[in-house]
Amino acid sequence: MLNQLTISELATELAKSRASSHAATQACLDQIQRVDGQIGAFITYDAVGALAQADAADQALAGGATHAQRPLLGVPVAIKDVIAVKGQPLNCGSKILDKFISPYDATVIEKLKAAGAVVFGRLNMDEFAMGSSTENSAFHVTRNPWDTSRIPGGSSGGSAAAVAADECIAALGSDTGGSIRQPAALCGCVGLKPSYGRVSRYGLVAFASSLDQIGCLTKEVRDAAIMLEVLSGVDPCDSTSVPRAVPRYAGSLTGDIKGLKLGLPKEYRIGGLDPEVKEAIDAAVAQFQTLGAEVVEVSLPHTDYAIATYYIIATAEASANLARFDGIRYGLRVEGADPIELYARTRGAGFGAEVKRRILLGTYVLSSGYYDAYYLRAQKVRTLIRNDFLKAFEKVDAIIAPTSPTAAFKIGEKANDPLQMYLMDIFTISANLAGICGISIPCGFTKTPKLPIGLQLLGEPFGEETILRIAHAYEQSTSWHKQKPPLTR
Ligand code: GLN
């Protein structure tokens, strides 16, 4: 079944003319038909447009184009609903954008298209990427392919569920505090959050601009390396993208991690960690040692402040970024007697509860009299958190941690308790505050029910080669990533 292949497997099949992009794309569309009624990963998808791109890829292949020139030629890649694709709906999981159609391609989409990918579908997400379960989508819930009574994680829950259920070969997501890594962990796929500035954010609808990064969700580590190489690079349209050469990431996957030093943060040994998650991480540590890596303890002393710091900075930036949804420029408009009433009514009707909560909180922490007490202090603590990591990376090549304190929880279980939900991000949020890179890879399963567990590797800023190399060596010495959810078999 072509939809089950990885990027590198499909590329080989296409290059050897043993399969066509048309057939691979059709296989993904068939799988969506078969399982997405139960999973709900997609908000919409354009089957005709996808097949037309696939046919163009098949023609290019027939004309002699190679994957050395265009690494994703003919590969179906689905997109989180927060990234602009020209001519496609852009809703950010919200009602406020109504029938908005994107007039342009995000830089990452231009890059995917230049690399030959079949770019299709709008993947479900928490509204404006605010959440950890995809339950905050204004459209529908997305269900975890391993157990459809459970959440897929979030906010890129649609992306993770679609990859895990073989509804696409790979997907794009965005990560502001864990939104790629956490759903990847909960659905049993690979999720990579690049360092801040590695990938252009042009065309990514902003949630918290100093934390947001686009990344990928894939079936194995090699695919993440292939995707990252395509997505990375400086962009004149994003002044925060960094002019650094893009390495041949796949070239760093040597399988050899002998002599590398991995750090286990002592502050991550917290009470709320599920025993089965702990057991899986301990086993992974032993596996790294077997592979010849040295594992030492490190300290990240400001870890306790990460969640509070994040929820001040992220909400402050969100309150400013979301001011543009005013009923005048885009999307939904609810008429009022004057512009202020129109603005209030539109935002009242268009935003969901979590988005409103964050706008209120963000406006509060930025307001005069509170700015110094909250926002300014949070920025200072953010620097301390970043310095903790930079200090740790003087001693170790990467940091190991769980991705999420528990496996996937039941739909509705935490929906009425935002603080419980915020705690799901305890291991992922610091990486965004520090601007470093991180990857989540499968490292085991809980017993009953059988649910995926994710291991996180964190690397220094622009240290993606190292974490990919370590993740790949571990992955290739285990078989967790090869297991498929029951629904898709
Ligand atoms: N779960 C976190 C939040 O709700 C992170 C979201 C994200 O990374 N986009 O803000």
Side-chain angles (χ1 to χ4, degrees), residues 129-132 155 175-179 207 310-311 358 425:
M130 298 174 185
S132 306
S155 66
D175 192 312
T176 305
S179 277
F207 162 12
Y310 171 86
Y311 278 96
R358 300 216 187 181
D425 303 324

